[in-house]
Amino acid sequence: MNALAAATAQTALTFAISAAGGFAGHALGLPAGWLMGGALAVTVAAMAGAPVGIPDKVRDVAFVLIGMSMGATVAADSLQLIGQWPVTLAGLVVELVLIIAITGWVMARFFGLDRGTAYLSSFPGHLSFVMGIAAAGVGDARQIVIIQVIRILILTVAVPIGTLFLPIEHFPAPPAPQIMDVTTLLLLAAGCTAVGWAFDRLKIPAGFVLGAMAAATAAKLGGLFDTAMPPPLVTITFVMTGALIGSRFTGISRGEFARAAVGGLVATGLTVCITTLVALAVSFFVAMPFGQIWVGLAPGALEGMGALGIALGYDTAFVAAHHVIRLLLLSFAIPAVVVLIRLSERRTAPGE
């Protein structure tokens, strides 16, 4: 009983710190504020010696929620958008392959990261999904979160700075999505849990996360539901994810932090260079402004890039569609790359 009480107190403390940090991050307007604010708060607490940690069973619940929330955010009409801009969407695919392959290789070759850490650090988007997989034990979550946070902060801050010099008075708010009813939520949760459990039993890396994501994505694209998860549940998911990430930072050294920070700057630079070169190549084949192509292909936040597109008078449908498709492609690419990395590690393991 004493052990159970201690574990409960530790979990409650960890979630409380994450919730407080998440609230602060959201209030300050940080990207993915509830997630990143929570992760940063628990990280500071862990590095300061606070007794933070999450039991395995609670961790698995968080993993299912992460996967379910990722699948539920896939746009139901994303598959229909693919045929509208074939050349630029082909450029988007090439860009993603180059960013992941080159950045992952550089992170592994020059920063000494293992393949899981290097490639999860290279994915240009789906931050919460990447963090969820990292928290599930794929790669070094501490290195991944530092690199990814630096990348998204630079890209997110750069867009508002650019728009300060533009005549923008108002960005129309996106229509509020319809929230799923309790029955749909419970059925979706049950299906995601079942598939996640099956993936975990099959020894698939981050099985609960990937299984839940696969189930929710299939259901969304299959038309079984077209509503969004309740915002409070999404917030709880981000708080839990932040707690999982931050609790892994116990014992991190300054050298380890500095190396990851430099890696984040390098990864961001590579991403911007590759995006610019691909956009330039695509511009020779389509009759549209180079800037519009670049904004559509740039791996920044959909809201920021959409606002920039409005400010510059670009086709907002083009910009939005390309960012939706990018997230859809990453929803499939991330688990595929993780599985390939694990298979490669098994083949090269000593004695095998």
Side-chain angles (χ1 to χ4, degrees), residues 6 178 238 269:
Q178 183 179 354
F238 286 163

Side-chain angles (χ1 to χ4, degrees), residues 241-260:
T241 306
L244 288 168
I245 294 167
S247 61
R248 291 179 175 270
F249 273 79
T250 302
I252 187 172
S253 66
R254 292 182 180 178
E256 185 180 4
F257 183 90
R259 186 168 69 252

Side-chain angles (χ1 to χ4, degrees), residues 162-212:
T163 58
L164 288 175
F165 302 96
L166 299 170
I168 305 169
E169 296 181 357
H170 176 65
F171 297 144
Q178 183 179 354
I179 306 303
M180 66 178 65
D181 55 64
V182 175
T183 301
T184 302
L185 179 62
L186 292 176
L187 289 174
L188 180 63
C192 289
T193 301
V195 178
W197 178 84
F199 274 39
D200 186 65
R201 295 287 291 179
L202 292 170
K203 307 298 182 184
I204 294 175
F208 277 106
V209 179
L210 298 186

Side-chain angles (χ1 to χ4, degrees), residues 31-32 36 125-127 147-158 268 299-301:
M36 300 320 306
H126 258 336
L127 178 64
I147 294 172
Q148 286 283 9
V149 166
I150 288 174
R151 180 189 64 81
I152 196 168
L153 279 174
I154 291 175
L155 292 174
T156 303
V157 169
T268 304

